């Protein structure tokens, strides 16, 4: 197959290929997707556009699927459609497709803790099931909680009591919950128990959208399908690993939410830690979701307690100007935290997790830096170390920084790269949005890219002591300028941990 033909081949919500490790049986019949919190930011920016993309690719056949928006705001079906229309229209999506998709959406208004709204919702779903499932009769109900976590318990209770799939011809009820799932170990465990009393683990999809990103999904393939990496991926060869998230904008209208959580809960404890798991875990027995998640849990459980001196916190100047942020907020908008994994493969290798808002660039990447060459005869250290960089976004790519002979008559060396830039290599291929992929997984019943309860617990165990110290004001963020690299102390910490910056070399994404 040529590179241009590399694309999502299956246009079917039924069983998936064995590569995923999931052996689900083909499913047909009515599928109801209910977006709770439909009036909100996530729903309009991510959830509905992802559903639209799935619809356009044929994964949500209109003779089976209906979409329901649910929230307290009193609006009509058309009001909701008009709110989201602007997020669907683009050069690639004909207006006709947008209109047809919007006609699949119905809006139900109700509260998150009273029977009335959910009874009404159930009636509407049933109406649709009767009209659409005459062929098969099964009832599949997917509830997407695009809501603040504070209402998860009551919403789950209402769904359990009034809105479960009732068909005895087959089907299921699944719920998707967004992060942040809790604020610390105790609150997360409490939330898990509350939801766990109502739904079984296979019905609960804890979404972390970083697990749906193309290059994050590529990590297991890279690591375990390439002989290159197998012998190198360990403490004997790797000096340090950085996992970095940068945004070049601030909290922008989400200050109220953000101030309660801060950058560690918003990005590091979930997104970056999930990436760390995939970089550091051992080879799973198979690609079955439970086998993969078993290995991720082991990594998390091997992380040593974080040391105060291996943390730098920052807060961008101007953050507190947001009227929804308290004047004396101690919330970090930047953090560098070093995690150390106590096992045979990684003992002594620092995993430097760095995330920040209002910085000088927007990117997310994994940077695996190798040790210096022993017995170096070329003065390679002057050029810089070998690095394997996986650019998650923007401009998805992976490149290996390596030392080569400078072309020409002289025998001198220079830093260069082996570069796999997706836009160039896979021309014409649209990389699916993370949410699109993950919603499709929930329909297919594939939990591989979702966070299991014990994983979540282990993740909170790592960060809770540090978070409590920050919450109690025992650790203070250092102010940094908007548009900067963050506090200089963070770079100093990375250097102290062993990271050697290459000077005079910049990777430039190739253009077509
Ligand atoms: N926005 C984003 O980019 C991202 C969001 N998330 C997570 O997704 C979830 C939803 O996020 P987002 O859409 O931004 O949130 P919003 O603040 O926009 O809330 C979504 C909807 O929930 C209802 N709501 C808001 N506050 C409350 C409250 N205190 N009690 C009851 N209902 C409330 C509102 O609907 P109504 O009043 O009509 O009922 C609102 O439209 C959150 O868990 C968030 O952390 C995760 C990743 C990214
Ligand atoms: O979960 C979140 O992620 C976004 C960044 O997502 P990305 O896919 O654009 O990298 C971040 O802006 C937000 O604060 C956080 O809640």
């Amino acid at each position: 197959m040529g590179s241009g033909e590399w694309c999502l081949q299956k246009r079917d919500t039924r069983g998936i290929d064995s590569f995923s490790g999931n052996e689900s049986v083909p499913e047909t019949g009515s599928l109801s997707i209910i977006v709770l919190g439909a009036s909100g930011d996530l729903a309009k920016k991510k959830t509905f556009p992802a559903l639209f993309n799935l619809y356009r690719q044929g994964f949500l056949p209109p003779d089976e699927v209906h979409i329901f928006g649910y929230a307290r705001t009193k609006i009509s079906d058309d009001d909701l459609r008009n709110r989201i229309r602007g997020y669907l229209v683009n050069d690639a999506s004909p207006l006709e497709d947008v209109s047809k998709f919007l006609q699949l959406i119905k809006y139900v208004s109700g509260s998150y803790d009273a029977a009335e709204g959910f009874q009404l919702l159930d009636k509407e779903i049933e109406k649709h099931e009767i009209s659409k499932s005459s062929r098969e009769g099964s009832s599949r109900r997917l509830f997407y909680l695009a809501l603040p976590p504070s209402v998860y318990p009551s919403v789950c209770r209402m769904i359990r009591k009034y809105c479960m799939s009732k068909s005895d011809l087959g089907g299921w009820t699944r719920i998707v919950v967004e992060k942040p799932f809790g604020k610390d170990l105790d609150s997360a465990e409490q939330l898990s128990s509350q939801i766990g009393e109502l739904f079984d683990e296979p019905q609960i999809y804890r979404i972390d959208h970083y697990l749906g990103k193309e290059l994050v999904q590529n990590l297991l393939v890279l690591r375990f399908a390439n002989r290159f990496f197998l012998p190198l991926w360990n403490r004997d060869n790797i000096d340090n690993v950085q996992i970095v998230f940068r945004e070049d904008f601030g909290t922008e209208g989400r200050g109220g939410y953000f101030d309660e959580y801060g950058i560690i809960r918003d990005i590091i404890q979930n997104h970056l830690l999930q990436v760390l798991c995939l970089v550091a875990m051992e080879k799973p027995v198979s690609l079955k979701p439970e086998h993969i998640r078993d290995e991720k849990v082991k990594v998390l459980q091997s992380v040593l307690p974080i040391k105060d001196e291996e943390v730098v916190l920052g807060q961008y100047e101007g953050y507190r100007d947001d009227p929804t942020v308290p004047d004396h907020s101690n919330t970090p908008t930047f953090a560098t935290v070093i995690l150390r994994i106590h096992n045979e493969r990684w003992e002594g290798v620092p995993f430097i997790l760095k995330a920040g808002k209002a910085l000088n660039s927007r990117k997310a990447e994994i940077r695996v830096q190798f040790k210096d060459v022993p017995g170096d005869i070329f003065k390679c250290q002057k050029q810089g170390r070998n690095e394997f960089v996986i650019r998650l976004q923007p401009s998805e790519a992976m490149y290996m920084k390596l030392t080569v002979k400078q072309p020409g008559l002289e025998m001198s060396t220079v830093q260069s790269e082996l570069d796999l830039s997706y836009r160039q290599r896979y021309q014409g291929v649209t990389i699916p949005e993370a949410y699109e992929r993950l919603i499709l997984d929930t329909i297919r019943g594939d939990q591989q890219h979702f966070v299991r309860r014990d994983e979540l617990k282990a993740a909170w165990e790592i960060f809770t002591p540090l978070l409590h110290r920050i919450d109690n004001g025992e650790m203070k963020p250092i102010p940094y300028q908007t548009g900067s690299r963050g506090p200089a102390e963070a770079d100093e910490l990375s250097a102290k941990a062993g990271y050697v910056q290459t000077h005079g070399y910049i990777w430039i994404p190739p253009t077509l």
Side-chain angles (χ1 to χ4, degrees), residues 37 39-43 71-73 107 112 145-152 178-180 209 254 257 435:
S39 55
D41 188 67
L42 181 79
R72 297 172 305 185
T73 307
Y107 182 73
Y112 299 118
L145 275 60
L147 286 165
S150 54
V151 295
Y152 290 173
E178 268 291 347
K179 53 135 279 236
H209 78 277
R254 293 180 76 219
Y257 150 80
Y435 278 99

Side-chain angles (χ1 to χ4, degrees), residues 179 209-210 213 245 247 254 266 271 357 362 393:
K179 53 135 279 236
H209 78 277
Y210 266 60
K213 290 193 186 274
F245 166 96
E247 265 179 353
R254 293 180 76 219
D266 192 45
H271 301 328
K357 293 207 171 248
R362 174 180 175 257
Q393 65 187 33

Side-chain angles (χ1 to χ4, degrees), residues 305-313 336-340 352 466 469 474-475 478 489-490 492-497:
I306 298 168
K307 293 186 183 145
D308 283 1
E309 62 273 22
E310 296 205 313
V311 177
V312 171
L313 306 175
T336 293
V337 179
I338 297 181
L339 297 188
R340 295 185 180 270
I352 305 166
L466 171 64
R469 285 178 47 56
E474 291 163 41
M475 293 180 81
I478 302 164
E489 287 82 346
E492 288 160 19
L493 177 61
S494 302
K496 206 170 144 206

Side-chain angles (χ1 to χ4, degrees), residues 120 396 441 443:
L120 182 59
E396 289 89 344
D441 283 348
I443 296 169

Side-chain angles (χ1 to χ4, degrees), residues 310-342:
E310 296 205 313
V311 177
V312 171
L313 306 175
Q315 188 186 77
Y316 67 83
E317 287 166 0
Y319 167 70
R320 298 179 197 172
D321 296 346
D322 180 332
T324 59
V325 170
D327 291 345
H328 301 290
S329 167
N330 194 47
T331 300
T333 59
F334 174 100
T336 293
V337 179
I338 297 181
L339 297 188
R340 295 185 180 270
I341 301 171
H342 179 59

